[in-house]
């Protein structure tokens, strides 16, 4: 991101598929504090058509960890309905920063070593991680690259599985345990608006595994939002 922008620089429109209160509001606040040169507008996808600034260029950054075609289609319809030429960036993942945030969320719950280097004489708190996502098979396929990035950081097996569809977390856990991984953890590859937190808790309880918190307003998420905006300006 450039340290300064002209007064007529595009507005960063942070579009959330969930409510603007709570985690989305927190992320927008972090983006504003870290990037005071950017004008940030937070809106829900359902209100996007009425929220796009009139007479100003805009860059819409979807608050998604993967390119959910349903949400992106809604954003496209809103842009068309508003008669806007706003640009829409891809989702925030896959990206190494997303894997870093997932790693930190696991470490916060004692489910991963806090540092990146796994020493031979220090055992890992878990044997494998299930990267939980919402959106069925399409979501599982979309977050595979994030699973690979997280596995590289943890030097542990990481498999993606849907929290809201079958075959899901239970099947992933069965396969991992059949391969010798007894201690499991679920890392939700979610901002937090995609599903109730209880969905993660119930999935973890069903397979006797630990679980991390959703990404929420982690600084890496805010940085990815700013980077998405900056990449669009550069292009």
């Amino acid at each position: 991101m450039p340290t300064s922008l002209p007064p007529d620089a595009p507005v960063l429109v942070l579009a959330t598929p969930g409510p603007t209160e709570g985690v989305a509001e927190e992320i927008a606040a972090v983006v504003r504090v870290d990037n005071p040169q950017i004008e940030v507008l937070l809106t829900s996808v359902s209100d996007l058509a009425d929220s796009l600034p009139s007479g100003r260029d805009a860059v819409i950054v979807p608050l998604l960890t993967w390119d959910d075609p349903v949400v992106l289609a809604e954003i496209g319809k809103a842009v068309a309905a508003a008669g806007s030429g706003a640009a829409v960036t891809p989702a925030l993942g896959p990206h190494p920063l997303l894997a870093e945030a997932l790693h930190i969320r696991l470490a916060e719950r004692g489910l991963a070593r806090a540092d990146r280097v796994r020493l031979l004489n220090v055992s890992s708190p878990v044997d494998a991680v299930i990267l939980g996502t919402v959106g069925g098979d399409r979501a599982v396929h979309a977050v595979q690259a994030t699973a690979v990035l997280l596995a590289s950081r943890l030097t542990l097996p990481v498999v993606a599985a849907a929290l809201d569809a079958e075959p899901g977390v239970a099947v992933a856990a069965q396969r991992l345990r059949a391969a010798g991984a007894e201690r499991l953890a679920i890392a939700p590859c979610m901002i937090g608006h995609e599903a109730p937190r209880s969905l993660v808790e119930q999935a973890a309880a069903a397979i006797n595994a630990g679980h991390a918190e959703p990404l929420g307003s982690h600084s890496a998420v805010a940085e990815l939002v700013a980077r998405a905006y900056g990449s669009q300006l550069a292009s």
Side-chain angles (χ1 to χ4, degrees):
M1 277 299 303
T3 55
S4 63
L5 293 171
D8 60 346
V11 177
L12 190 167
V13 180
L14 188 59
T16 173
T20 55
E21 299 81 12
V23 63
E25 197 170 38
E26 293 169 4
I27 293 170
V30 176
V31 174
R32 291 187 181 105
V33 170
D34 291 347
N35 304 273
Q37 74 276 30
I38 305 176
E39 183 178 345
V40 180
L41 171 67
L42 172 64
T43 183
S44 65
V45 172
S46 59
D47 294 332
L48 181 58
D50 296 327
S51 301
L52 288 171
S54 177
R56 287 282 301 278
D57 290 335
V59 174
I60 301 170
V61 180
L63 198 54
L64 301 168
T65 58
W66 63 285
D67 286 321
D68 186 333
V70 175
V71 177
L72 293 180
E74 291 179 6
I75 291 175
K77 290 176 182 177
V79 171
S84 170
V88 183
T89 74
L92 304 181
H95 194 280
L97 275 175
L98 197 62
E100 178 182 342
L102 289 163
H103 182 176
I104 291 171
R105 287 290 187 243
L106 285 165
E108 288 171 349
R109 297 294 294 267
L111 298 170
R113 286 177 48 80
D115 59 84
R116 187 169 180 174
V117 179
R118 184 183 177 197
L119 302 178
L120 293 178
N121 62 340
V122 180
S123 62
S124 170
V126 299
D127 302 317
V129 172
I130 297 172
L131 189 67
T133 187
V134 173
D137 288 343
R138 184 176 286 168
V140 172
H141 179 75
V143 302
Q144 290 292 349
T146 301
V148 171
L149 290 168
L150 182 58
S152 177
R153 291 188 63 91
L154 299 174
T155 62
L156 289 172
V158 177
V159 297
L163 293 162
D164 61 341
E166 297 296 340
V169 171
V171 173
Q174 185 179 18
R175 290 174 178 170
L176 285 169
R177 288 191 166 121
E182 290 297 327
R183 301 167 301 164
L184 306 179
I186 296 177
C189 190
M190 304 187 302
I191 303 295
H193 53 69
E194 300 90 336
R197 185 174 300 182
S198 60
L199 185 66
V200 179
E201 295 171 347
Q202 291 167 4
I207 62 171
N208 191 27
H211 69 88
E213 292 295 312
L215 293 162
S217 56
H218 190 280
S219 59
V221 176
E223 184 174 347
L224 285 169
V225 170
R227 287 189 180 208
Y229 174 84
S231 294
Q232 186 61 44
L233 291 188
S235 64

